[in-house]
């Protein structure tokens, strides 16, 4: 039982092969390259190999098939999950326009909600306090009407008890709060210039006196107090980008990147807290292809960890009609290796540990020694 993996002599340029005995957990041999013929030749010289744990690198698959035709291939689970994450990340990157739209929409909604919360939290003006004081008795009587109606009193009985007209009682019972009888907005001298003022406001001009002088130069004979009142109301309403930036949350929400979105799609949607949870739920509704890919990724992970009895062939068939079809096509060649990875406990973990030790020895020699000296030091470590 062996594990085969590559090690870097010069990263990105030159690689070798490490073969680890999984039962003894020691290096069986070290090869100076990762050529198919070299690995296959080593396997022919060492017959009797029953299990070969490897990653998805096709060079080793092509070497094991002729070198040890009877051996069982076991694909490493960690590498499979990593390749799955990379495939899902590639699918997320292909939907960048949808992701940007969802993120922008959610960001605007959160900014608007924050402005509304700030407006509600601000102290009431004198005019608002007077209006609330005038309406307080009416709200009290409205509450009494609802309480009497909830206790089973009739409309006529409520009207007699509270000295109200029956039409008023019926009207109030249909409302969550009493009508305030607000007067409709009347025409104002500033109405013809609202478009100009809105444009100047969006450009960043917040000085009411300066806006009044500009209107005066345009020929509008409007009292500066009217412009000041308009600017005050506009400021309280918020609603433009400059206000959102100046009055936004202390820690504004930042949309997750491609890698994090791929990870969140594989997570339980109900367990993602805060704005990220809302973002992923909305992204799943807006981009059903990504939602399907996330569900397939969850199924694949559960299958590899032995938490699901779904056959590998069924998962591959479902993935071939999704955005993970390229990943599924690559797995199709090693379907038997995936089934072995689920059924057996072997992996390339011991090989990864030996590669780390190999790197330490290689660095101790400052990269000046040749392969033969490195091989001797690996086998005869002090």
């Amino acid at each position: 039982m062996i594990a085969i993996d590559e090690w870097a002599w010069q990263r990105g340029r030159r690689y070798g092969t490490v073969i680890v005995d999984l039962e003894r957990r020691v290096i069986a041999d070290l090869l100076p390259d990762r050529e198919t013929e070299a690995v296959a030749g080593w396997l022919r010289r060492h017959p009797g190999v029953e299990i070969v744990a490897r990653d998805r690198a096709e060079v080793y698959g092509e070497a094991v098939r002729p070198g040890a035709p009877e051996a069982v291939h076991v694909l490493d689970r960690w590498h499979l999950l990593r390749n799955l994450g990379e495939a899902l990340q590639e699918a997320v990157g292909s939907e960048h326009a949808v992701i940007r739209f969802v993120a922008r929409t959610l960001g605007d909604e959160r900014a608007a909600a924050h402005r509304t919360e700030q407006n509600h939290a601000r102290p009431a003006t004198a005019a608002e306090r007077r209006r609330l004081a005038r309406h307080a008795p009416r709200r009290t009587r409205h509450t009494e009407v609802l309480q009497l109606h909830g206790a089973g009193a009739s409309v006529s009985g409520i009207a007699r008890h509270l000295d109200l007209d029956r039409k008023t009682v019926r009207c109030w019972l249909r409302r969550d709060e009493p009508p305030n009888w607000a007067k409709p907005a009347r025409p104002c001298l500033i109405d013809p210039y609202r478009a100009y003022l809105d444009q100047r406001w969006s450009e960043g001009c917040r000085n009411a006196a300066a806006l009044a002088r500009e209107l005066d130069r345009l020929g509008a004979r409007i009292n500066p107090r009217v412009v000041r009142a308009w600017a005050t109301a506009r400021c309280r309403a918020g609603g433009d980008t400059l206000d959102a930036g100046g009055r936004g949350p202390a820690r504004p929400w930042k949309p997750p990147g491609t890698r994090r979105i791929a990870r969140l799609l594989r997570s339980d949607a109900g367990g993602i807290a805060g704005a990220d949870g809302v973002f992923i739920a909305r992204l799943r509704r807006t981009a059903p292809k990504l939602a399907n890919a996330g569900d397939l990724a969850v199924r694949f992970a559960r299958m590899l960890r032995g938490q699901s009895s779904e056959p590998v062939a069924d998962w591959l068939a479902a993935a071939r009609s999704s955005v993970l079809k390229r990943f599924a096509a690559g797995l199709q060649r090693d379907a038997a290796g995936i089934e072995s990875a689920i059924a057996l406990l072997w992996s390339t973990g011991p090989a990864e540990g030996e590669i780390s030790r190999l790197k330490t020895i290689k660095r101790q020699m400052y990269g000046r020694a040749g392969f033969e000296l490195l091989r001797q030091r690996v086998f005869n470590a002090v």
Side-chain angles (χ1 to χ4, degrees):
M1 300 176 186
I2 62 172
I4 299 180
D5 207 346
E6 63 183 17
W7 59 275
W9 185 262
Q10 288 181 312
R11 181 177 292 275
R13 296 184 180 181
R14 182 182 171 193
Y15 289 87
T17 299
V18 60
I19 302 174
V20 176
D21 187 329
L22 292 177
E23 293 180 305
R24 295 188 300 149
R25 290 181 175 267
V26 296
I27 294 181
D29 207 344
L30 204 64
L31 304 182
D33 54 45
R34 56 177 179 180
E35 297 297 327
T36 301
E37 288 301 324
V39 178
W42 187 94
L43 290 171
R44 293 190 189 97
R45 293 191 301 273
H46 299 80
V49 174
E50 299 177 355
I51 292 177
V52 178
R54 60 181 180 85
D55 57 19
R56 291 182 57 225
E58 188 58 27
V59 60
Y60 292 129
E62 293 177 352
V64 174
R65 291 184 190 102
E70 302 298 328
V72 176
H73 295 238
V74 179
L75 296 187
D76 185 67
R77 290 176 290 277
W78 183 86
H79 284 92
L80 285 171
L81 291 175
R82 180 183 179 184
N83 297 151
L84 172 66
E86 292 170 349
L88 187 58
Q89 186 175 337
E90 181 180 353
V92 169
S94 66
E95 298 287 342
H96 60 88
V98 178
I99 293 172
R100 189 164 53 245
F101 169 76
V102 174
R104 186 185 302 116
T105 303
L106 181 58
D108 293 345
E109 290 178 2
R110 286 176 57 84
H114 181 75
R115 289 195 299 270
T116 302
E117 181 182 351
Q118 281 191 332
N119 290 336
H120 287 325
R122 65 174 174 79
T125 62
E128 290 172 341
R129 288 195 296 270
R130 289 194 299 269
R131 185 167 58 254
L132 290 174
R134 286 198 307 270
H135 292 173
R138 189 180 302 126
R139 285 196 299 272
T140 302
R141 301 192 77 182
H142 179 264
T143 303
E144 293 176 356
V145 167
L146 295 180
Q147 290 175 347
L148 290 171
H149 183 263
S154 64
V155 173
S156 298
I158 296 174
R160 285 194 302 271
H161 182 74
L162 297 179
D163 195 20
L164 293 173
D165 189 272
R166 286 180 296 179
K167 293 180 181 179
T168 301
V169 174
R170 292 192 188 95
C171 178
W172 285 13
L173 287 175
R174 291 193 298 266
R175 293 173 173 266
D176 294 331
E177 59 183 17
N180 55 16
W181 297 316
K183 297 179 180 179
R186 294 179 296 178
C188 179
L189 292 174
I190 209 171
D191 287 346
Y193 303 96
R194 286 186 183 275
Y196 175 79
L197 291 173
D198 287 336
Q199 177 184 351
R200 294 291 293 125
W201 190 271
S202 63
E203 291 172 356
C205 183
R206 299 293 191 270
N207 191 313
L211 292 173
R213 288 193 294 269
E214 292 180 15
L215 291 181
D216 186 66
R217 286 195 293 270
L218 292 175
R221 298 297 179 259
I222 299 177
N223 194 304
R225 286 180 297 180
V226 177
V227 181
R228 191 181 307 117
W230 175 88
T232 301
R234 185 72 166 78
C235 223
R236 289 186 180 279
D240 59 53
T241 305
L242 187 59
D243 288 337
R247 303 169 62 189
R251 290 185 177 181
W253 173 70
K254 183 179 179 180
T258 303
R259 180 178 299 177
R260 179 162 172 76
I261 292 174
R263 187 165 62 250
L264 291 175
L265 285 171
R266 289 181 286 170
S267 305
D268 180 14
I272 306 174
D276 284 351
V278 178
F279 170 75
I280 289 298
R282 190 171 298 183
L283 180 62
R284 280 178 163 271
R285 293 193 300 269
T286 309
K289 291 183 180 179
L290 288 183
N292 181 43
D295 294 339
L296 285 170
V298 172
R299 288 166 52 187
F300 187 79
R302 287 176 54 81
M303 185 174 62
L304 273 186
R305 295 179 178 125
Q307 300 171 349
S308 169
S309 58
E310 180 180 8
V312 175
D314 291 355
W315 187 90
L316 290 174
R320 279 196 293 268
S321 60
S322 71
V323 292
L324 298 178
K325 56 186 177 182
R326 290 180 57 189
F327 176 66
L331 292 181
Q332 187 65 51
R333 296 189 297 268
D334 288 315
I338 300 174
E339 293 174 351
S340 301
I342 298 172
L344 303 176
L345 298 178
W346 303 109
S347 71
T348 61
E352 298 291 347
E354 293 297 337
I355 290 173
S356 296
R357 186 171 72 90
L358 175 63
K359 289 179 181 178
T360 302
I361 296 174
K362 185 162 66 74
R363 287 165 183 163
Q364 288 174 349
M365 299 188 298
Y366 303 100
R368 297 177 182 175
F371 172 75
E372 290 301 327
L373 178 58
L374 176 63
R375 188 171 183 275
Q376 290 301 320
R377 288 206 57 187
V378 167
F379 284 108
N380 302 284
V382 179

